[in-house]
């Protein structure tokens, strides 16, 4: 074979091989689906994908996406990437039709290291039910008048007392709303207590609802029940991720050091996947990557020899 023919053969082999390596770095590498819910940055189902603050958070079980934190497991109803919110369902949450007592509900408690990333939205009302007179909610009540109970986004216990679920329990509105002790229902925002821990708050159950602006509903029977959680990442991490995806990578993190990584198929970069030559810069190379480097170096040698 002539020298020119040999060079052409090498280049042809590279052209066949390069797309196989580089295409693995497509931005959909970490994108997953569970049922009808799309899972993408900052969330992930695969180890090393997504933001480290959301690791070991979502699990796909029989095509049902589950969200797990220290207070328990919740079904994920929706992830809204445009508004950065995730909607959760607790099977033991009280609604207007069904009041669930007996300490069965999860509440909502996140680990301290997750707190900067996850918090229920400001329009989400929590209604704590059947709390004891010794509950931290009512310290100093009624003499100190320090009860945190109040309406949130137009939703609160005054309306909730009219729900059919109370009547089914044999409790009438008048018996719930009036009395000498603390109220049977105490509505408040998550920011008011920072943690909906039913055991520590000594409450029998809870309800949670949120508004869907600009929809206007007539009462608690039409409220949307569930927990809507806002999520966030650092602004500089957003910029880093956009640069990574713009060059065909997927945003991820180092599972050991938790530092951010741009996943480029069979290799990782601490910056992005902008060129093939970054195979040995800021990341790890597989045997296939090293073989590709050898192809490039060999071709360069033969091209130089041919010109001379």
């Amino acid at each position: 074979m002539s020298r020119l023919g040999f060079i052409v053969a090498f280049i042809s082999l590279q052209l066949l091989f390069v797309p196989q390596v580089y295409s693995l770095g497509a931005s959909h590498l970490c994108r997953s689906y569970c049922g009808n819910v799309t899972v993408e940055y900052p969330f992930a189902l695969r180890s090393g994908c997504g933001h480290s603050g959301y690791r070991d958070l979502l699990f796909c079980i029989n095509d049902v996406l589950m969200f797990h934190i220290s207070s328990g497991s919740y079904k994920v109803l929706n992830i809204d990437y445009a508004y950065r919110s995730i909607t959760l369902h607790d099977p033991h949450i009280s609604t207007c039709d069904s009041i669930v007592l007996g300490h069965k509900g999860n509440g909502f408690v996140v680990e301290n290291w997750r707190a900067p990333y996850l918090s229920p939205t400001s329009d989400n009302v929590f209604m704590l039910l059947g709390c004891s007179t010794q509950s931290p909610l009512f310290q100093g009540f009624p003499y100190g008048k320090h009860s945190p109970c109040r309406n949130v986004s137009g939703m609160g216990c005054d309306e909730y007392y009219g729900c059919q679920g109370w009547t089914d329990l044999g409790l009438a509105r008048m018996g719930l709303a009036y009395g000498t002790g603390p109220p049977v229902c105490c509505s408040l925002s998550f920011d008011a207590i920072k943690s909906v821990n039913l055991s520590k708050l000594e409450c029998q159950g809870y309800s949670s609802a949120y508004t869907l602006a600009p929809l206007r509903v007539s009462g608690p029977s039409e409220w949307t029940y569930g927990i809507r959680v806002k999520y966030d990442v650092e602004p500089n991490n957003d910029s880093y991720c956009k640069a990574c995806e713009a060059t065909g990578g997927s945003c991820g993190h180092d599972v050991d050091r938790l530092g951010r990584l741009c996943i480029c198929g069979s290799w990782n970069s601490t910056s992005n996947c902008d060129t093939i030559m970054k195979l040995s810069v800021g990341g790890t190379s597989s045997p296939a990557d090293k073989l590709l480097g050898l192809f490039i170096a060999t071709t360069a040698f033969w091209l130089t020899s041919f010109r001379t």
Side-chain angles (χ1 to χ4, degrees):
M1 180 184 293
S2 68
R3 183 181 296 176
L4 179 58
F6 190 80
I7 293 172
V8 170
F10 257 99
I11 293 175
S12 299
L13 184 58
Q14 289 176 52
L15 291 175
L16 288 173
F17 182 77
V18 168
Q20 295 173 9
V21 174
Y22 194 60
S23 64
L24 291 173
S27 58
H28 63 265
L29 179 66
C30 284
R31 183 177 299 162
S32 302
Y33 299 90
C34 184
N36 62 350
V37 182
T38 302
V39 180
E40 58 186 47
Y41 185 86
F43 304 106
L45 293 175
R46 294 179 54 185
S47 177
C49 288
H51 188 284
S52 61
Y54 301 93
R55 66 188 184 276
D56 302 324
L57 181 70
L58 298 183
F59 300 89
C60 189
I61 303 173
N62 296 326
D63 284 334
V64 176
L65 189 61
M66 300 298 296
F67 175 103
H68 184 77
I69 52 176
S70 59
S71 55
S73 295
Y74 311 74
K75 180 181 178 181
V76 178
L77 301 180
N78 174 60
I79 302 178
D80 190 326
Y81 294 98
Y83 290 94
R84 296 196 172 194
S85 67
I86 181 168
T87 306
L88 309 175
H89 172 69
D90 179 349
H92 297 298
I93 197 173
S94 292
T95 63
C96 197
D97 296 327
S98 175
I99 307 298
V100 181
L101 303 177
H103 307 285
K104 296 179 180 179
N106 288 330
F108 192 84
V109 183
V110 297
E111 300 85 342
N112 288 336
W113 63 271
R114 286 201 203 273
Y117 306 108
L118 295 167
S119 178
T121 58
S122 59
D123 63 357
N124 197 121
V125 60
F126 286 92
M127 290 171 286
L128 298 171
L129 311 176
C131 305
S132 75
T133 55
Q134 288 76 41
S135 170
L137 292 172
F138 307 124
Q139 290 182 359
F141 179 85
Y143 302 105
K145 304 296 182 183
H146 294 310
S147 172
C149 309
R150 58 182 54 83
N151 283 4
V152 178
S153 295
M155 298 179 291
C157 291
D158 287 344
E159 287 185 286
Y160 193 61
Y161 285 140
C163 283
Q164 180 64 35
W166 294 110
T167 303
D168 293 343
L169 286 178
L171 298 173
R173 176 193 285 268
M174 293 298 289
L176 291 166
Y178 301 94
T180 57
V184 176
C185 172
C186 179
S187 55
L188 37 67
S189 67
F190 186 79
D191 285 343
I193 51 175
K194 305 298 183 184
S195 174
V196 182
N197 186 321
L198 299 184
S199 296
K200 288 185 177 180
L201 294 174
E202 300 184 29
C203 300
Q204 287 283 323
Y206 80 110
S207 182
S208 175
Y210 56 91
T211 59
L212 287 174
L215 296 179
R216 295 182 179 276
V217 297
S218 59
S221 62
E222 297 182 9
W223 289 350
T224 305
Y225 292 90
I227 306 173
R228 188 162 64 172
V229 180
K230 62 182 179 182
Y231 66 86
D232 204 1
V233 294
E234 306 87 343
N236 64 338
N237 216 88
D238 264 351
S239 300
Y240 175 89
C241 187
K242 288 178 182 177
C244 171
E245 291 181 342
T247 56
S250 289
C251 304
H253 63 275
D254 186 310
V255 294
D256 296 319
R257 298 183 179 88
L258 302 182
R260 59 193 184 187
L261 287 178
C262 186
I263 302 174
C264 307
S266 58
W267 61 285
N268 299 330
S269 169
T270 55
S271 54
N272 54 60
C273 312
D274 58 352
T275 65
I276 290 294
M277 293 306 292
K278 280 197 178 262
L279 286 168
S280 60
V281 179
T284 58
S285 299
S286 68
D289 299 329
K290 294 175 182 177
L291 180 58
L292 177 58
L294 178 61
F295 282 158
I296 295 173
T298 305
T299 301
F301 171 78
W302 279 98
L303 285 173
T304 302
S305 300
F306 183 73
R307 284 200 291 273
T308 57

